[in-house]
Amino acid sequence: MKIVFASTNRGKLREASEIFEGFEIVPISAFSAWKSPDENGSTFLQNAVIKAEAAAKAAPDSIVLADDSGLVVPALDGAPGIFSARFSKEGTDAANREKLIAELSGKSDRSAYFVCAAVLIFPDKTVLAAEGRCCGRIIESCRGNNGFGYDPLFVPDGFDKTLAELSENEKNAISHRGRAFRKLLTFKGSSL
Amino acid sequence: MKIVFASTNRGKLREASEIFEGFEIVPISAFSAWKSPDENGSTFLQNAVIKAEAAAKAAPDSIVLADDSGLVVPALDGAPGIFSARFSKEGTDAANREKLIAELSGKSDRSAYFVCAAVLIFPDKTVLAAEGRCCGRIIESCRGNNGFGYDPLFVPDGFDKTLAELSENEKNAISHRGRAFRKLLTFKGSSL
């Protein structure tokens, strides 16, 4: 069976393929009707739903998958949150990281967590969504060359390395996205 | 077990109680932290998710339920859709119905359907959502005193009466909301 993923990011597509074992993960770019939507929700879940509905419109007979992720820093009242990719004016990874370092300067609470909201929409319009988190702390300067975004500043709980110093396999094992995807896969409706 | 419903409408609360048998349906108004959110989504699902997340914030340890519903008329390009309650300037049921009658005047396709998007959020932030529809047609003038909104203008497929001429039990048996709720209840994650 196929799952159409509303992403063109190769790392994400690979991660989804590993977790949704037995499914063929197809990028939404394979569907010419796909139009990237305006992600104007006010939560990760809302933005993931917006993306998933846009994908379902472009691929109406498929199971579609979408996610929205970001970094939440309690000492910054939850920022950068849903604005993680556009935290700084420039909106580049480097500028976003610099802003984060500056805003946390002198703060004693450097705890932070990555959040991923992942959404599946089935052809009958049933929807399943789940949240995954990866908790850790923000260090004072960048370390490591893997990953992207805030990874070089983020040390996950139980590790001494930043996410950018971990291998892709090590990172996927603890990632917020992987956790959200696995929750989708194991949901059996048993809560009701 | 309890389900907190993001609604204060007595009819909806009763309908939910009947369908989610064995659960206690608690209105969100029982939670002082509840603040009715701005429903600024662009689909029924998005608005239902916005309401459900607001309810989950006010009642974080509960299973919460929210829905968003409306009338879709293909000959009017899907209007009134998510704007069903505010179709006319006045926004009253009577003015909305008058506008619908006027806009459909002379159109041969008078088919229409009610849609309900229903969303459950569990305390672990897993989300389940489903869509229910009730298909029928719009007649040229109002009939019946039960129900509300567009009910006096809507004759469901397989019936001669409008929704406003049916009893509450008859209406609940075929309603878009009932169908969406029942889908939530029977979802077993078996699709994956």
Side-chain angles (χ1 to χ4, degrees):
Chain A
M1 207 148 51
K2 280 194 309 189
I3 294 178
V4 176
F5 190 10
S7 174
T8 51
N9 179 298
R10 282 184 172 203
K12 282 198 198 183
L13 286 161
R14 211 156 43 221
E15 196 174 356
S17 297
E18 278 166 21
I19 293 172
F20 291 98
E21 219 184 322
F23 289 88
E24 181 194 355
I25 302 294
V26 180
I28 187 66
S29 50
F31 293 79
S32 58
W34 164 250
K35 268 174 57 181
S36 185
D38 191 12
E39 294 170 31
N40 55 6
S42 55
T43 62
F44 296 110
L45 176 63
Q46 288 166 30
N47 281 334
V49 166
I50 288 169
K51 269 183 263 190
E53 284 196 296
K57 211 171 166 181
D61 300 324
S62 307
I63 301 174
V64 299
L65 171 67
D67 76 298
D68 194 53
S69 316
L71 180 71
V72 175
V73 182
L76 303 180
D77 295 326
I82 57 167
F83 303 106
S84 289
R86 23 182 177 151
F87 188 37
S88 62
K89 250 185 232 160
E90 300 83 349
T92 62
D93 281 0
N96 289 341
R97 288 191 294 254
E98 264 178 48
K99 183 169 178 185
L100 181 63
I101 292 170
E103 298 220 344
L104 272 178
S105 160
K107 306 248 185 207
S108 56
D109 177 10
R110 302 186 67 91
S111 69
Y113 54 91
F114 280 103
V115 180
C116 173
V119 174
L120 280 173
I121 301 185
F122 298 91
D124 73 348
K125 307 221 169 178
T126 305
V127 178
L128 191 56
E131 185 183 286
R133 294 189 180 195
C134 178
C135 296
R137 63 192 167 82
I138 303 298
I139 56 172
E140 289 175 17
S141 57
C142 293
R143 278 185 356 219
N145 298 308
N146 304 331
F148 62 99
Y150 301 96
D151 288 359
L153 288 174
F154 186 88
V155 175
D157 288 347
F159 288 77
D160 294 322
K161 293 178 176 175
T162 68
L163 281 180
E165 291 173 314
L166 297 180
S167 71
E168 192 166 320
N169 279 348
E170 287 173 313
K171 184 183 160 183
N172 287 353
I174 58 163
S175 89
H176 47 305
R177 190 171 296 109
R179 283 177 171 149
F181 286 173
R182 278 186 287 267
K183 274 196 196 173
L184 290 181
L185 201 55
T186 56
F187 184 86
K188 295 290 175 215
S190 52
S191 320
L192 272 189
Chain B
M1 206 148 55
K2 279 194 311 190
I3 293 178
V4 176
F5 189 9
S7 173
T8 52
N9 179 298
R10 281 182 173 206
K12 282 199 199 181
L13 286 160
R14 216 160 36 225
E15 195 174 356
S17 297
E18 278 166 21
I19 293 172
F20 292 98
E21 218 184 323
F23 289 88
E24 181 193 355
I25 303 294
V26 180
I28 188 67
S29 50
F31 293 80
S32 58
W34 164 250
K35 267 175 57 182
S36 185
D38 192 12
E39 295 170 30
N40 55 7
S42 56
T43 63
F44 295 111
L45 176 62
Q46 287 167 30
N47 281 335
V49 166
I50 288 169
K51 270 184 261 190
E53 285 196 295
K57 211 170 167 184
D61 300 324
S62 307
I63 301 174
V64 299
L65 171 68
D67 77 296
D68 194 53
S69 317
L71 180 72
V72 175
V73 182
L76 303 180
D77 294 327
I82 57 167
F83 302 107
S84 289
R86 26 184 173 147
F87 189 37
S88 61
K89 251 186 229 158
E90 299 83 350
T92 62
D93 281 359
N96 290 341
R97 287 191 296 252
E98 266 178 47
K99 184 169 178 183
L100 181 62
I101 291 170
E103 298 219 344
L104 273 178
S105 161
K107 305 248 185 207
S108 56
D109 177 10
R110 303 185 66 91
S111 68
Y113 54 92
F114 281 103
V115 180
C116 172
V119 174
L120 280 172
I121 302 185
F122 297 92
D124 73 349
K125 307 218 170 180
T126 305
V127 178
L128 192 56
E131 186 183 284
R133 293 188 181 196
C134 177
C135 296
R137 62 192 168 84
I138 303 299
I139 55 171
E140 288 174 19
S141 56
C142 293
R143 278 186 354 221
N145 297 307
N146 304 329
F148 62 97
Y150 301 96
D151 288 358
L153 287 174
F154 186 87
V155 175
D157 287 347
F159 288 77
D160 295 321
K161 294 177 176 176
T162 68
L163 281 180
E165 292 173 314
L166 296 180
S167 70
E168 191 166 320
N169 279 348
E170 286 172 315
K171 184 183 160 183
N172 287 353
I174 58 164
S175 89
H176 46 304
R177 191 171 296 109
R179 283 176 171 150
F181 286 174
R182 279 186 287 266
K183 274 197 196 170
L184 291 180
L185 201 55
T186 55
F187 184 86
K188 296 291 176 213
S190 52
S191 319
L192 273 189

